[in-house]
Amino acid sequence: MSDLLLRNVRPHAGAATDILIRNGRIAEYGTNLSAEGVAVEDGQGHIVIPGLIDAHTHLDKTNWGLDWHVNGKQASLRERIDFEREMRLEIGLDPHVQSMRHAIGLIAHGSSHIRSHVDIDTTHGLKILEGVFETREKLKDLIDIEIVAFPQSGLMVMPGTLELLDEALKQGCEVLGGIDPCGIDRDPKGQLDALFALAVKHGKPIDIHLHEMGELGAFTMELIFERIRANGMQGKVAISHAFTLGANDYLRVSALLEELRELDVAILTTGAPSVPVPSVLRLKEAGIRMGAGCDGIRDTWGPWGQPDMIDRAKVIGMKNGLRRDVDLEHVLHICSQGGADVMQLEDYGLDVGCKADMTLLTGQTLAHAVVDVAPRPLVVKGGRVTARNGKAVVEMP
């Protein structure tokens, strides 16, 4: 049903109220509301926020539900990419089954939207994408999935990939991806020129993985800035990871932040514990749109991660050394409203008229909800209940 009366909830940890949902949208707030013939759910005084958003993940990669993957060696970024690409079938990474498992895990833990990067390469063509497309269709009433056509293995070093990206955008990918123009392709001008030309051709935004650190990452960012200006793509580019913004050179980072704000470039963080990451408070102060994501979870790259944006909020908070309640509230904001801002979602929020995508949280305050270890009591998507007490209404395959 898309009509629902949600009783006794506390929007953003405020005063208790009822919420009436009609045709999948928030229709009315009040106390002791009634609506004949409408399903009723008791929120039991829990906090309600707009649905959590995983704005940077890889649905096609997880080993969730498979036998334990023994990761027996240290490997460079390039080696991890090559191993995963060449061993996908042997490991059993069915892109539809694994993306279903990952997405259903996110539903169970309160997410209403996903931005997923999906590998496009000359080894697998568009087969991985087709599997995630199938997942998106099957789960369309439970979660929205936005797909980034992602050339993880490189663009210039893998001839034929550009043509595959072109076809992927034609077939329905909403965003064009990229990765380390210097570190992976060793041809930043070639990669970025090709990506921006393709994005302009299709009228699509860009989301680029930028693991490059220090001055190399700053150099790449400046090349991205040049092309944003040249192509009039202000507000249409996101940079994921952006590890260079975690550098100790305060003045150099400040100059990059100023350009990011001027060009309205969004940043997506995973709070990666092992490397420098952008400061969420510096980006907040600079007025830069920022979202967050789980990244890859329990995959061939490593054993860590959960399909849970509250768990990711904790990771980001600890990585940033945050303790004040107001700062923990901001981390929760990044994992919900921030993701919506990056993805430029319409009608997201808890105002009357917004789509009724909601997550109930335990805890006395928003900060308490971030650190509390408890299942989400209830998850609602478009007025439909999609999960209860940490379990989605559909089973994992």
Side-chain angles (χ1 to χ4, degrees):
M1 295 178 64
S2 59
D3 291 350
L4 180 69
L5 180 57
L6 187 56
R7 291 200 181 280
N8 189 23
V9 290
R10 296 183 294 127
H12 300 293
T17 187
D18 300 342
I19 304 176
L20 178 62
I21 298 166
R22 292 282 194 187
N23 298 317
R25 292 180 179 269
I26 298 172
E28 185 180 356
Y29 283 89
T31 55
N32 299 316
L33 292 179
S34 62
E36 187 175 348
V38 173
V40 178
E41 293 284 347
D42 183 1
Q44 300 179 5
H46 291 303
I47 296 168
V48 63
I49 65 168
L52 296 164
I53 296 178
D54 188 340
H56 180 101
T57 198
H58 298 266
L59 291 178
D60 58 308
K61 296 180 182 297
T62 186
N63 298 327
W64 213 269
L66 299 177
D67 289 340
W68 181 257
H69 173 75
V70 178
N71 197 328
K73 65 177 183 178
Q74 296 288 347
S76 67
L77 177 65
R78 179 78 253 182
E79 289 170 330
R80 290 196 297 270
I81 289 171
D82 292 343
F83 176 85
E84 182 182 61
R85 184 185 65 249
E86 298 302 326
M87 298 297 289
R88 271 182 175 273
L89 296 180
E90 183 175 328
I91 294 167
L93 292 182
D94 180 302
H96 170 54
V97 173
Q98 295 311 118
S99 60
M100 283 285 286
R101 289 171 174 169
H102 188 156
I104 290 170
L106 285 167
I107 292 167
H109 293 111
S111 288
S112 61
H113 294 79
I114 300 170
R115 171 180 282 190
S116 177
H117 299 253
V118 176
D119 287 6
I120 307 292
D121 59 58
T122 54
T123 300
H124 299 276
L126 300 181
K127 292 186 183 301
I128 300 170
L129 177 63
E130 291 165 2
V132 181
F133 275 157
E134 185 179 355
T135 293
R136 176 162 72 177
E137 177 63 23
K138 286 187 175 179
L139 297 179
K140 64 182 180 181
D141 294 328
L142 305 179
I143 196 162
D144 291 333
I145 300 175
E146 181 182 80
I147 297 177
V148 184
F150 180 45
Q152 178 174 260
S153 293
L155 186 61
M156 313 310 291
V157 296
M158 298 283 271
T161 302
L162 184 64
E163 290 75 16
L164 289 170
L165 292 173
D166 189 20
E167 182 60 28
L169 294 176
K170 289 178 185 176
Q171 290 192 18
C173 289
E174 292 87 353
V175 184
L176 176 61
I179 183 171
D180 295 346
C182 296
I184 294 296
D185 270 326
R186 299 177 182 270
D187 183 359
K189 182 180 186 304
Q191 188 202 104
L192 292 173
D193 284 348
L195 288 178
F196 274 85
L198 191 58
V200 170
K201 173 184 175 181
H202 289 274
K204 301 290 188 180
I206 294 175
D207 187 338
I208 298 179
H209 280 59
L210 192 58
H211 306 99
E212 296 164 6
M213 300 186 195
E215 189 55 36
L216 181 62
F219 166 72
T220 299
M221 270 198 186
E222 289 169 342
L223 294 181
I224 293 170
F225 298 156
E226 290 174 3
R227 283 152 183 79
I228 292 172
R229 288 192 172 92
N231 291 282
M233 288 191 66
Q234 291 88 339
K236 298 180 180 178
V237 175
I239 298 177
S240 289
H241 300 306
F243 294 148
T244 190
L245 297 179
N248 289 327
D249 190 336
Y250 190 89
L251 294 178
R252 186 74 170 102
V253 171
S254 293
L256 294 172
L257 293 178
E258 185 175 338
E259 291 231 59
L260 290 166
R261 180 190 56 76
E262 180 185 334
L263 297 172
D264 191 16
V265 178
I267 298 296
L268 291 156
T269 188
T270 65
S274 59
V275 292
V277 297
S279 164
V280 298
L281 296 187
R282 283 195 74 181
L283 266 68
K284 177 185 178 183
E285 183 180 353
I288 294 167
R289 287 182 295 135
M290 188 176 198
C294 295
D295 207 4
I297 61 163
R298 196 179 297 178
D299 54 23
T300 63
W301 291 49
W304 309 110
Q306 298 286 325
D308 183 349
M309 287 305 296
I310 293 295
D311 180 76
R312 184 55 47 171
K314 295 173 188 175
V315 172
I316 294 169
M318 288 188 287
K319 177 65 178 181
N320 280 264
L322 304 180
R323 293 175 174 81
R324 297 189 306 166
D325 279 31
V326 65
D327 296 334
L328 296 180
E329 290 173 13
H330 183 61
V331 173
L332 184 58
H333 169 91
I334 290 169
C335 294
S336 54
Q337 182 67 55
D341 293 343
V342 172
M343 295 169 64
Q344 298 181 331
L345 301 178
E346 295 181 356
D347 300 331
Y348 172 89
L350 293 183
D351 292 336
V352 170
C354 286
K355 296 175 182 176
D357 299 345
M358 306 173 181
T359 301
L360 270 60
L361 304 176
T362 59
Q364 297 173 0
T365 68
L366 291 175
H368 187 192
V370 172
V371 303
D372 200 25
V373 180
R376 308 305 100 80
L378 196 72
V379 184
V380 175
K381 174 70 177 173
R384 298 178 175 89
V385 173
T386 58
R388 296 178 187 274
N389 297 314
K391 185 175 174 58
V393 296
V394 290
E395 296 289 337
M396 287 190 183

